[in-house]
Amino acid sequence: MNKFKTLAILIVPLVGLIAIASVFVYDPIQINVKPTNPSIKFQAPPPSYPMSLQRTSRSAICYTDFEQMPSGWSNIGGNWSISPNEGYKGNALYGKDNGGGIGHASQYYWQTSISNYNSLWVSVKVKLATTNPDVYKGIALIDSNKPQLYEISIYNGKLYIWGYSDKWGWNQFNYFSISNYNVNNWYILVVNYVYASSSISISAYVYDTSGALVASTSATIKGRYLFQPSYVGLEIDDVTNNLSGSGVYFDDFITSTTDPRYVNFLNVPQGYKIEVWDNLGNLINSTISTGNNVQLYILSDIVVGTGSGGSIIIGSNAGKYTLNYTVPSTDSILGGDNYTLTSGVLSFSFGANKTSINVSAAISGNTYNITGFILLSIINTDSSSCYVILFLNNMTGNMGSLNANIALYNSTYTSSNYIQISNGAILSNSTGWVSIPPNGYVNATFSGFFTQSSQQATLYLQLEYCTMPNNQGACVFYPVQITVNS
């Protein structure tokens, strides 16, 4: 048989079958498609955050931590020097009486006159250099011509207020026993005086280094011992017969127009935590704001640390969006300081189904304030865990002065690696992977500053989330845009 004829015979019936099949007509299937909301969504960040901190006033007119002999001071009698590593922190001023000062005691004083102040606060830490014998040790308020003084001192477990006149000698005005006195311990002496034309009122307090009050007394002085203080300083009076007694260590001296036992913070929202740290990495104290104006008790270290540097941290109680204010090494944190907080307000907009976000925020324009905030929250509405990571794709604007870290934190506040920008250079362009449990969340946080004001930068990021760890399973990308300005 001819092969071509055979092929024609086979094709014809096939065409016929197709034609026959086309006779059957079916109604189309009715399908209703309902879009499914994504299981991962963005959520609005807290709108307010601590943006910058500034010291707005200082009450101290004189302070020193005695890391070295202070300038502008002089002695009336006594031997005075710096003792390395003998201070409450760092060095200490060491003094020993030689009977050559006012009242046959010894004084070391600030040479600038305080006679234009009718009221001042003075504080210093004191400690005996050895345990025996004891000496009077404390604060001296000295008359202009130096024939008189008031001595507020600790001696043999008691707090004393004395007056001395070159005409009338020594006079004890009051005293009070110090609770649980230990000759080996540091004590904090705080004095406040108020002078009027007819009298001077002196209030004295002694605290241990935990900040607990262990003694207090006061006196109102009139008559022949009355004078207006012109100088303030330190006093040692060794009452042994041959001046063979122990020397005394001094640390953390301050003279202030207001109460130096506190640092004051203005405009701090309720619930924010405030922490003061010294330059050695020690937490001095912390508190939670009850709204607007806050006093933080720093009596244990009135001249914070070794008298230079330190830091103040303000932010959420959970600590994941914070402002970190670093004090320059040429400055100090002191009792009586007043700081004002400036808060920022985030603005943001979501894309469709909250799967993209644009965030705008103001950050610090100097190296002393590092502004931190939550830039977005990532919510998992699914019944299974998922895994997320952030990538930085591009940046525009004033990048050269931008320093920033962007990190992810899960609900237990375990930190990821972070995106890092240093002076506009990208040192790391991604965070680590962080898991989000079912119905859990992850926060993306921003922390950074510009090195100058009037700067702006925009960061273009992508959030990747996957159904399995380390880029496995089904993965989706969400765009994230952040604009920051100073």
Side-chain angles (χ1 to χ4, degrees):
M1 182 180 290
N2 188 297
K3 289 182 180 179
F4 290 101
K5 290 181 180 180
T6 304
L7 180 62
I9 294 169
L10 291 173
I11 291 173
V12 171
L14 180 61
V15 173
L17 287 174
I18 294 173
I20 293 170
S22 66
V23 173
F24 297 96
V25 178
Y26 297 93
D27 291 332
I29 298 173
Q30 299 295 318
I31 301 175
N32 292 323
V33 178
K34 294 183 179 180
T36 301
N37 285 328
S39 58
I40 297 296
K41 292 184 177 182
F42 291 145
Q43 181 171 285
S48 179
Y49 59 94
M51 197 268 287
S52 66
L53 188 69
Q54 182 180 9
R55 194 183 75 228
T56 47
S57 65
R58 168 156 284 172
S59 301
I61 61 173
C62 175
Y63 70 94
T64 176
D65 207 55
F66 296 120
E67 293 306 297
Q68 57 189 3
M69 295 297 284
S71 61
W73 286 62
S74 185
N75 68 299
I76 310 172
N79 299 304
W80 305 87
S81 61
I82 296 298
S83 291
N85 302 315
E86 294 291 351
Y88 178 71
K89 293 178 182 177
N91 301 337
L93 177 70
Y94 175 81
K96 189 170 183 180
D97 184 21
N98 64 8
I102 303 168
H104 301 289
S106 296
Q107 295 83 33
Y108 187 64
Y109 72 102
W110 185 43
Q111 292 176 285
T112 300
S113 175
I114 58 170
S115 59
N116 57 331
Y117 296 96
N118 290 327
S119 178
L120 285 174
W121 291 79
V122 187
S123 179
V124 72
K125 281 190 178 74
V126 295
K127 179 187 176 185
L128 280 171
T130 58
T131 59
N132 188 48
D134 208 344
V135 296
Y136 287 94
K137 51 197 174 292
I139 291 168
L141 304 173
I142 305 171
D143 195 4
S144 57
N145 296 319
K146 306 179 180 67
Q148 300 182 93
L149 62 75
Y150 301 120
E151 175 191 288
I152 303 94
S153 59
I154 296 171
Y155 173 75
N156 198 25
K158 294 181 176 64
L159 168 63
Y160 288 91
I161 298 176
W162 289 88
Y164 175 81
S165 166
D166 58 356
K167 292 181 180 180
W168 310 108
W170 287 96
N171 186 69
Q172 179 184 304
F173 290 102
N174 215 338
Y175 75 94
F176 197 86
S177 295
I178 299 172
S179 300
N180 301 313
Y181 180 73
N182 187 325
V183 72
N184 297 304
N185 290 353
W186 283 97
Y187 286 97
I188 305 164
L189 181 58
V190 178
V191 173
N192 174 233
Y193 75 84
V194 179
Y195 172 80
S197 58
S198 60
S199 66
I200 185 169
S201 298
I202 299 175
S203 299
Y205 311 87
V206 175
Y207 300 84
D208 63 24
T209 54
S210 74
L213 181 66
V214 292
S216 65
T217 191
S218 62
T220 299
I221 301 168
K222 301 179 180 180
R224 59 191 182 185
Y225 283 93
L226 175 64
F227 67 90
Q228 181 175 10
S230 291
Y231 301 99
V232 61
L234 307 173
E235 172 93 351
I236 304 174
D237 190 4
D238 184 346
V239 293
T240 61
N241 292 329
N242 57 4
L243 298 176
S244 62
S246 169
V248 176
Y249 294 130
F250 294 92
D251 207 350
D252 288 3
F253 177 88
I254 191 169
T255 300
S256 176
T257 58
T258 62
D259 189 342
R261 293 172 291 186
Y262 302 89
V263 175
N264 306 295
F265 296 91
L266 308 179
N267 301 335
V268 181
Q270 183 177 358
Y272 276 21
K273 188 176 185 179
I274 305 171
E275 300 176 348
V276 171
W277 294 76
D278 69 14
N279 59 311
L280 305 174
N282 303 304
L283 176 65
I284 304 304
N285 202 3
S286 65
T287 190
I288 304 297
S289 172
T290 56
N292 292 327
N293 302 334
V294 182
Q295 285 189 316
L296 181 61
Y297 192 60
I298 64 160
L299 177 75
S300 64
D301 205 15
I302 285 177
V303 181
V304 171
T306 56
S308 65
S311 64
I312 299 170
I313 298 175
I314 300 180
S316 70
N317 195 15
K320 295 308 171 188
Y321 58 100
T322 60
L323 167 72
N324 191 325
Y325 173 74
T326 301
V327 178
S329 60
T330 54
D331 200 357
S332 306
I333 303 173
L334 304 176
D337 282 351
N338 291 293
Y339 291 87
T340 299
L341 177 68
T342 299
S343 294
V345 178
L346 286 177
S347 61
F348 52 88
S349 60
F350 292 113
N353 296 318
K354 295 186 176 181
T355 57
S356 65
I357 188 170
N358 289 347
V359 179
S360 296
I363 64 174
S364 167
N366 62 69
T367 59
Y368 301 122
N369 285 288
I370 301 177
T371 306
F373 53 85
I374 297 176
L375 63 93
L376 60 90
S377 291
I378 306 156
I379 308 300
N380 180 12
T381 62
D382 203 350
S383 58
S384 300
S385 293
C386 68
Y387 304 85
V388 295
I389 189 171
L390 269 175
F391 295 96
L392 174 59
N393 292 329
N394 191 24
M395 303 185 296
T396 60
N398 305 116
M399 303 312 304
S401 63
L402 177 64
N403 294 264
N405 293 331
I406 299 172
L408 294 175
Y409 294 85
N410 64 22
S411 56
T412 59
Y413 297 110
T414 300
S415 174
S416 69
N417 297 326
Y418 52 88
I419 295 168
Q420 186 177 11
I421 302 166
S422 177
N423 294 321
I426 301 173
L427 304 185
S428 172
N429 71 341
S430 67
T431 68
W433 287 93
V434 174
S435 65
I436 313 180
N439 301 311
Y441 69 94
V442 160
N443 287 329
T445 62
F446 180 99
S447 177
F449 61 92
F450 286 102
T451 56
Q452 53 189 303
S453 59
S454 302
Q455 303 290 290
Q456 180 171 298
T458 299
L459 283 63
Y460 302 92
L461 301 97
Q462 279 187 326
L463 175 82
E464 180 183 1
Y465 89 84
C466 298
T467 56
M468 296 176 65
N470 299 320
N471 218 32
Q472 301 297 311
C475 297
V476 180
F477 292 85
Y478 291 174
V480 177
Q481 180 176 311
I482 309 165
T483 300
V484 288
N485 61 81
S486 61

